[in-house]
């Protein structure tokens, strides 16, 4: 195969290629680091150079290379071949010695493999011991935790024992109550028995702890041994990798030696072929020399003709120069003509542009006229969804507000009983009062477990006063004000309102709704984060008491008037929210709690079947907002009731300031307004005054203590407990004790549960 390749190459290329190969081979001998690539690269470059030289300077190169230095080159070539053969023999010997060393390395590698298998077995054993160590450490940690809990429990029992002994000493100093003394003695005996049991448990746990510590020490020794063995294992892996790399290097050198040997055999054969070719080229050289002499004679014969041709060429160059000058003048004239034509086209273009601009302006004028004519139709189309029929006001007459407020509430209680519902009177009064003070506490929240009537109460209240109901079911996906207020769909060119925005829009544009009360119910409002969808709207509700407040419809760039874009939030809209308190709901922030009154519906003490409902038709009258307003009262800071409220709140604020949770004017104003507007509050000594103040302590102040670490503020909490005792409300006292006694040792306020009525 190799002989056929060399035979097919042109003879002239082979001559120069052989010379270049010889030079490359000599370079590889002088510079052994070049490896096999040096002679091969030299042969390739030589072949390419030889081809180019042969095609351009065939006669000159052959003549000089063969006549002038052929003998010297042959001699040098023979010397270089002899020297190359000698050096290659030395290199072969060196490579053979390296291969013998490699065989020794392979035997060492097999020994490393056997040692590696043994180390892997040891590593697996150590890893299993380490796993067992982790399990034992886990058990040890658990036992330590149990021991700590027992010690803490023993500490508490010792403290209780000390308290009981102190109490016994006190009783000894004073006339004791025998029954209480017997109970205390019984408790002391029980505590002593429990203490002895706990001490036995502690002794057992301590022995287990010592045993586990011994196991831990032994396992740590095993772990240290594992670390040492693992380090040795890693070092052996590194040595094996190094030996494998050396093996690969030797294998590569072996392949290179085989290639050099094959190349040497090929070069010997080629040398013989080149010598034969040189002998064949000698007659050709003589023929080329004769041809050269003939060409020189022909050149001398045509010298006169050449001189005449040169004179003609000079004349042609002069004529060409004159021709280029004339053409340059022609181009200058043509450029002037083109400039004039360009100026003419520019003027014509300006004229056409002015005509087009005139047409565009006319079209724009027509478009503006059409846009102005269609603006009202576009706005009507975009806001058409706001006009979808939402409610039909009843045509009953307005209720005469002459009866007193307590008469109204008595009638409402009877209405609830007729519907088979039983709510404590304090719940009804608190709900009614919270609706009255929505100018400062803009939201009533009914919180508690499911099935306690949180949604029934506002619905029945709305039925009784003839108010329009608007129920909004809050969804867990609500995360922006648009979910409550609607948004503009740019694709459909329509505003997508919610029922709330439709209700506000229709209330503002429907004269039949004038002075009517609308009760908005946010059902399960804490399924989503209230701050995300309701915070902005709640701030606007709070500002209704000082000035008219507006919502701005998001209608994009739709050209509508300011009156259509803005909606006034009517003060006749009363807002109520319900909350189910379980693991699926979100808690309320302080911002929302400060602007709301929260009524808690707790677990009933006794489960009962619903009462028999009576069929009661729609009330023949409705309560207007102006009638509802007649029950509103404005606080007088000089009144005895307001002064008493301020006295209680000053005490509470001093305590809360020391805890780090003070409150400011807005909370004080909201509490005062609630107490003044609570039905039946005439003076600070009345029961209704106490009920109203208890409501606000539970709704405004105690929620601010949520998450407080009880053990960090025992003195302040004792002061707060004393202040609550002054109010004399059992329900509030029990709720405070329950919040303070949580297992988490944090103040967990769950709200005030109103007592059920007989």
């Amino acid at each position: 195969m190799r002989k056929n390749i060399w035979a097919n190459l042109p003879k002239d290329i082979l001559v120069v290629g052989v010379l270049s190969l010889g030079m490359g081979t000599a370079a590889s001998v002088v510079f052994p680091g070049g490896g096999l690539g040096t002679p091969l690269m030299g042969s390739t470059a030589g072949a390419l150079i030889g081809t180019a030289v042969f095609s351009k300077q065939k006669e000159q190169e052959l003549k000089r290379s063969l006549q002038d230095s052929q003998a010297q080159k042959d001699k040098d070539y023979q010397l270089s071949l002899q020297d190359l053969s000698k050096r290659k023999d030395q290199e072969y010997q060196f490579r053979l010695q390296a291969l013998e060393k490699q065989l020794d390395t392979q035997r060492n590698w097999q020994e490393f493999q056997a040692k590696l298998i043994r180390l892997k077995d040891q590593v697996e054993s150590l890893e299993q011991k380490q796993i067992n160590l982790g399990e034992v450490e886990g058990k040890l940690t658990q036992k330590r935790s149990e021991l700590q809990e027992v010690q803490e429990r023993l500490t508490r029992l010792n403290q209780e024992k000390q308290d009981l002994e102190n109490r016994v000493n006190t009783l000894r100093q004073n006339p004791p109550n025998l029954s209480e003394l017997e109970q205390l003695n019984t408790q002391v005996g029980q505590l002593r028995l429990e203490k002895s049991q706990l001490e036995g448990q502690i002794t057992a746990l301590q022995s287990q702890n010592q045993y586990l510590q011994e196991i831990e020490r032994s396992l740590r020794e095993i772990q240290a041994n594992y670390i040492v063995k693992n380090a040795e294992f890693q070092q052996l892996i590194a040595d094996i990798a190094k030996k494998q790399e050396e093996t690969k290097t030797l294998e590569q050198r072996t392949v290179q030696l085989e290639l050099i040997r094959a190349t040497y055999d090929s070069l010997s054969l080629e040398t013989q072929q080149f010598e034969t070719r040189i002998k064949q080229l000698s007659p050709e050289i003589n023929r080329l020399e004769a041809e050269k002499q003939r060409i020189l004679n022909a050149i001398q014969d045509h010298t006169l003709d050449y001189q005449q041709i040169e004179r003609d060429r000079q004349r042609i160059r002069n004529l060409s120069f004159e021709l280029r000058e004339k053409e340059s003048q022609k181009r200058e004239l043509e450029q002037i003509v083109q400039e004039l034509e360009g100026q003419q086209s520019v003027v014509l273009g300006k004229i056409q542009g002015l005509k087009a601009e005139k047409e565009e302006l006319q079209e724009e004028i027509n478009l503006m006229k059409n846009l102005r004519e269609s603006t009202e139709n576009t706005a009507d189309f975009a806001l058409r969804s706001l006009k979808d029929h939402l409610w039909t006001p009843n045509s009953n007459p307005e209720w005469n507000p002459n009866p007193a407020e307590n008469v109204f509430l008595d009638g409402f209680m009877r209405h609830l009983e007729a519907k088979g519902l039983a709510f404590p009177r304090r719940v009804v009064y608190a709900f009614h009062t919270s609706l009255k003070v929505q100018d400062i506490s803009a939201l009533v929240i009914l919180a508690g477990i499911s099935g306690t009537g949180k949604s029934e109460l506002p619905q029945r209240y709305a039925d009784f006063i003839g108010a329009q109901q608007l129920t909004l079911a809050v969804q867990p996906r609500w995360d922006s004000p648009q979910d409550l207020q609607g948004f503009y769909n740019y694709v459909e060119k329509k505003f997508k309102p919610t029922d709330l925005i439709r209700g506000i829009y229709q209330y503002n544009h429907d004269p039949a709704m004038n002075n009517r009360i609308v009760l908005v119910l946010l059902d399960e409002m804490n399924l989503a984060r209230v701050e995300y969808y309701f915070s902005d709207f709640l701030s606007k509700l709070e500002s209704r008491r000082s000035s008219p407040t507006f919502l701005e419809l998001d209608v994009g760039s739709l050209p509508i008037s300011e009156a259509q874009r803005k909606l006034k939030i009517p003060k006749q809209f009363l807002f109520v929210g319900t909350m189910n308190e379980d693991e699926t709901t979100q808690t309320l922030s302080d911002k929302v709690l400060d602007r709301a009154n929260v009524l808690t519906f707790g677990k009933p003490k006794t489960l009962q079947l619903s009462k028999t409902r009576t069929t009661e038709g729609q009330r023949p009258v409705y309560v207007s907002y102006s009638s509802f307003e007649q029950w509103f009262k404005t606080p007088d800071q000089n009144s005895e009731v307001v002064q008493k409220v301020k006295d209680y709140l000053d005490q509470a604020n001093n305590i809360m300031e020391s805890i780090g949770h003070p409150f400011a004017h807005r909370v004080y104003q909201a509490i005062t307004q609630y107490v003044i507007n609570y039905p039946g509050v005439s003076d600070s000594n009345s029961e209704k005054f106490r009920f109203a103040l208890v409501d606000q302590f539970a709704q405004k102040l105690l929620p601010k203590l949520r998450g407080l670490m009880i053990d960090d503020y025992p003195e302040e909490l004792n002061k707060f407990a004393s202040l609550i005792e002054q109010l004399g409300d059992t329900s509030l006292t029990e709720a405070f004790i329950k919040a303070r006694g949580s297992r988490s040792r944090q103040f967990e306020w769950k709200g005030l549960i109103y007592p059920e009525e007989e």
Side-chain angles (χ1 to χ4, degrees):
M1 182 71 181
R2 186 181 303 274
K3 293 180 178 180
N4 293 334
I5 294 174
W6 289 108
N8 293 331
L9 291 176
K11 303 299 183 180
D12 306 283
I13 296 175
L14 291 175
V15 173
V16 181
V18 169
L19 295 175
S20 300
L21 178 62
M23 295 174 65
T25 305
S28 67
V29 174
V30 178
F31 304 98
L36 181 61
T38 303
L40 293 178
M41 184 171 62
S43 62
T44 304
L48 295 174
I49 295 171
T51 302
V53 170
F54 181 76
S55 61
K56 293 183 180 180
Q57 298 178 351
K58 180 178 179 181
E59 296 177 356
Q60 292 83 351
E61 290 297 329
L62 287 174
K63 182 179 179 180
R64 284 194 296 270
S65 63
L66 296 175
Q67 288 183 352
D68 298 339
S69 61
Q70 185 62 44
Q72 184 64 34
K73 285 182 180 180
D74 291 341
K75 184 178 179 180
D76 294 340
Y77 181 70
Q78 293 295 331
L79 293 175
S80 64
L81 288 177
Q82 293 175 1
D83 186 56
L84 175 62
S85 176
K86 186 184 296 183
R87 290 181 181 274
K88 289 299 179 182
D89 291 338
Q90 294 176 357
E91 186 174 354
Y92 291 155
Q93 294 295 328
F94 175 76
R95 296 293 173 85
L96 290 174
Q97 293 175 0
L99 287 174
E100 292 176 354
K101 292 181 179 179
Q102 179 61 27
L103 292 175
D104 295 336
T105 303
Q106 289 180 351
R107 286 192 292 270
N108 294 333
W109 182 78
Q110 292 176 354
E111 294 176 358
F112 279 125
Q113 288 286 353
K115 191 174 182 180
L116 176 62
I117 293 172
R118 293 194 299 272
L119 283 175
K120 284 183 178 178
D121 295 337
Q122 295 178 4
V123 168
E124 291 177 356
S125 176
L126 291 174
E127 288 177 349
Q128 183 62 37
K129 291 181 180 179
Q130 188 178 21
I131 293 172
N132 298 333
L133 174 61
E135 295 177 355
V136 173
E137 288 179 348
K139 293 180 180 178
L140 178 60
T141 303
Q142 182 180 1
K143 294 298 182 181
R144 286 178 177 173
S145 176
E146 294 176 357
L147 177 61
Q148 185 177 0
E149 291 179 357
V150 172
Q151 290 176 348
E152 291 177 354
R153 187 176 178 185
L154 179 60
T155 302
R156 290 198 300 270
L157 291 175
N158 289 332
Q159 183 64 36
E160 292 178 0
K161 175 185 175 184
Q162 185 65 33
D163 294 340
L164 290 174
E165 290 177 352
N166 293 336
R167 190 172 179 182
V168 170
N169 294 331
T170 304
L171 291 174
R172 288 174 180 173
Q173 296 175 1
N174 298 322
N177 189 329
L178 294 179
S179 61
E180 293 182 358
L181 185 59
E182 290 177 356
Q183 294 177 357
L184 291 175
N185 288 330
T186 302
Q187 292 179 1
V188 170
Q190 293 175 351
L191 291 174
R192 287 176 178 172
L193 178 60
E194 189 173 356
K195 176 183 177 182
S196 63
Q197 293 175 352
L198 292 175
E199 288 176 349
Q201 294 179 5
I202 290 173
T203 303
L205 290 173
Q206 286 177 347
S207 62
Q208 291 181 4
N209 187 22
Q210 293 176 358
Y211 173 71
L212 292 174
Q213 286 178 352
E214 292 177 359
I215 294 176
E216 182 181 9
R217 284 194 296 272
S218 63
L219 290 176
R220 285 180 178 172
E221 293 176 359
I222 294 173
Q223 186 176 13
N225 189 19
Y226 167 76
I227 293 172
V228 173
K229 294 296 183 181
N230 190 30
E232 295 177 357
F233 175 69
Q234 297 297 331
Q235 182 62 37
L236 284 175
I237 290 176
D239 294 340
I240 290 171
K242 183 177 179 181
K243 295 298 182 181
Q244 289 176 344
E245 187 66 27
E246 292 177 356
T247 301
K248 292 180 181 179
T249 303
L250 291 175
E251 290 176 353
Q252 292 176 356
R253 291 181 177 178
T254 303
V255 174
Q256 291 177 0
L257 285 174
E258 293 296 330
L259 290 175
I260 292 173
R261 182 178 297 172
T263 304
Y264 178 77
D265 295 339
S266 176
L267 289 175
S268 299
L269 179 61
E270 291 171 0
T271 302
Q272 297 175 2
Q273 292 176 352
F274 290 148
E275 291 175 352
T276 304
R277 179 62 177 167
I278 291 171
K279 294 177 180 179
Q280 293 175 354
L281 289 176
S282 296
E284 182 68 17
I285 293 171
N286 297 329
R287 187 187 66 77
L288 292 174
E289 182 64 26
E291 182 67 20
K292 174 185 175 183
Q293 189 61 38
R294 185 184 63 77
I295 292 171
L296 290 175
N297 295 331
I299 291 172
Q300 292 178 357
D301 294 338
H302 294 85
T303 299
L304 297 177
D305 296 335
Y306 175 76
Q307 293 176 354
Q308 181 62 36
I309 291 171
E310 286 296 325
R311 287 194 294 270
D312 294 338
R313 286 179 179 175
Q314 183 63 34
R315 187 175 178 185
I316 291 171
R317 283 196 292 270
N318 294 334
L319 293 174
S320 298
F321 180 74
E322 293 179 0
L323 179 61
R324 284 195 296 271
E325 287 183 349
K326 298 296 182 181
E327 289 178 349
S328 176
Q329 294 176 1
K330 177 184 177 183
R331 284 194 296 271
E332 290 177 357
L333 293 174
E334 289 176 349
Q335 185 176 3
I336 294 172
V337 172
Q338 290 177 356
E339 290 177 355
L340 293 175
E341 292 177 349
Q343 293 177 0
Q344 181 182 3
S345 61
V346 169
V347 173
L348 293 175
K350 289 182 178 179
I351 295 173
Q352 295 295 330
L354 291 173
K355 290 181 179 180
E357 186 176 357
K358 177 181 177 182
E359 294 176 355
E360 290 177 358
L361 290 174
Q362 186 62 41
E363 290 179 359
E364 187 174 355
I365 292 171
N366 296 333
L367 181 61
M368 293 299 292
K369 288 180 180 179
N370 296 332
L371 182 61
R372 184 182 64 184
E373 293 174 356
S374 61
T375 297
E376 294 183 359
N377 295 332
T378 304
D380 291 340
F381 175 76
L383 303 180
R384 185 179 301 167
S385 55
L386 289 170
K387 302 175 183 179
D388 291 344
H389 193 63
L390 187 61
W391 54 48
T392 301
N394 60 51
S395 58
N396 296 333
E398 182 179 350
W399 177 63
N400 186 0
N402 287 332
E405 187 176 9
N406 58 345
V407 176
F408 165 80
L409 292 172
D410 290 340
F412 180 51
M413 293 296 296
R414 290 192 297 272
H415 175 76
L416 292 175
E417 292 177 1
K419 294 295 184 181
L421 302 172
F423 289 99
R425 183 174 291 271
R426 287 183 62 179
V427 172
V428 175
Y429 275 40
F431 179 71
H432 173 71
T433 306
S434 298
L435 292 177
K436 289 170 59 178
V437 297
Q438 282 212 351
D439 61 334
I440 188 168
S441 297
L443 180 64
V444 184
I445 299 177
L446 309 180
I449 61 177
S450 179
T452 51
K454 299 186 299 299
S455 301
E456 284 281 345
L457 180 59
Q459 290 173 0
R460 298 309 168 201
Y461 188 89
D463 290 340
F464 187 72
I465 66 175
Q468 180 64 52
Q469 298 182 47
L470 194 59
T471 302
L472 304 175
V474 177
Q475 302 298 322
R477 60 176 175 78
W478 285 16
D479 58 2
S480 69
Q482 291 181 340
D483 294 314
L484 182 68
Q485 303 176 24
F487 63 96
Y488 181 70
N489 190 317
Y490 287 87
V491 177
E492 299 180 7
K493 305 295 183 182
K494 291 181 180 179
F495 183 74
K496 299 291 185 179
T498 61
D499 286 348
L500 174 62
I501 300 302
R502 287 172 58 201
I504 294 175
Y505 180 86
Q506 294 179 26
Y507 192 95
N508 285 324
H509 293 83
D510 187 0
M513 292 298 297
N514 186 30
N515 206 25
R516 297 291 187 102
I517 297 176
V518 178
L519 194 145
V520 181
L521 177 61
L522 296 170
D523 194 23
E524 298 192 50
M525 64 181 301
N526 64 330
L527 283 179
R529 291 290 297 183
V530 179
E531 294 78 8
Y532 293 165
Y533 70 88
F534 196 65
S535 179
D536 179 65
F537 191 78
L538 183 60
S539 300
K540 292 182 181 295
L541 291 181
E542 188 182 15
S543 64
R544 286 187 301 178
R545 61 174 176 157
S546 57
S547 61
T549 305
F550 296 88
L551 285 174
E552 186 169 350
L553 297 178
D554 179 15
V555 291
S557 59
L558 189 66
I560 65 174
S561 63
E562 193 72 13
Q564 289 178 302
R565 186 182 294 270
K566 289 189 174 182
L567 294 179
K568 180 181 178 181
I569 303 177
K571 61 182 179 179
Q572 293 84 354
F573 274 58
L574 306 180
F575 288 84
V576 181
T578 64
M579 289 174 44
N580 283 331
E581 295 181 344
D582 55 37
E583 68 278 1
T584 65
T585 58
Q586 307 287 339
T587 58
L588 299 177
S589 66
D590 288 342
K591 176 182 178 181
V592 177
L593 290 173
D594 286 347
R595 291 160 175 79
N597 285 321
V598 183
L599 279 67
T600 305
F601 290 68
K603 177 183 74 66
K605 293 183 179 179
T606 59
L607 300 176
Q608 300 177 0
L609 295 175
S610 61
K611 298 180 180 180
T612 304
R613 302 188 180 189
T614 60
T615 303
E616 182 175 313
Q618 188 177 17
R619 297 195 68 210
V621 294
Y622 72 91
V623 178
S624 66
Y625 186 77
S626 58
S627 300
F628 190 68
E629 273 186 319
Q630 293 184 18
W631 293 327
F632 294 2
K633 297 178 183 179
T634 303
D636 181 6
Q637 63 180 0
N638 297 320
S639 69
E640 183 261 346
V641 173
V642 174
Q643 291 297 326
K644 191 67 173 178
V645 172
K646 186 175 185 301
D647 179 57
Y648 275 108
L649 294 183
D650 284 340
Q651 296 181 57
N653 204 12
N654 290 333
I655 298 171
M656 296 182 71
E657 183 180 13
S658 62
I659 295 175
H661 295 278
F663 56 88
H665 301 296
R666 198 180 62 78
V667 175
Y668 164 67
Q669 294 169 5
I671 294 176
T672 303
Q673 190 164 339
Y674 181 93
V675 174
I676 291 296
N677 281 277
Y678 196 88
V681 173
S682 57
D683 56 65
S684 61
N685 296 321
S686 63
E687 184 183 43
K688 300 298 177 61
F689 172 81
R690 178 170 57 83
F691 287 164
L693 197 57
V694 166
D695 288 349
Q696 291 299 282
F697 263 72
Q699 297 177 12
K700 296 288 187 184
L701 302 184
L702 291 176
K704 292 182 176 293
L705 303 183
R706 291 175 307 175
L708 187 73
M709 299 305 298
I710 298 172
D711 296 334
D712 294 342
Y713 302 96
E715 184 178 352
E716 290 80 359
L717 292 176
N718 289 334
K719 292 180 180 180
F720 219 119
S722 300
L723 181 61
I724 289 176
E725 289 179 0
Q726 295 179 23
L727 297 174
D729 188 84
T730 305
S731 299
L732 183 62
T733 303
E734 292 177 354
F736 182 81
I737 293 174
K738 184 177 180 181
R740 188 178 179 182
S742 66
R743 294 182 179 179
S744 65
R745 307 306 298 162
Q746 293 183 352
F747 192 85
E748 296 182 358
W749 179 249
K750 300 296 185 180
L752 174 64
I753 307 299
Y754 294 102
E756 298 178 3
E757 298 178 355
E758 298 296 336

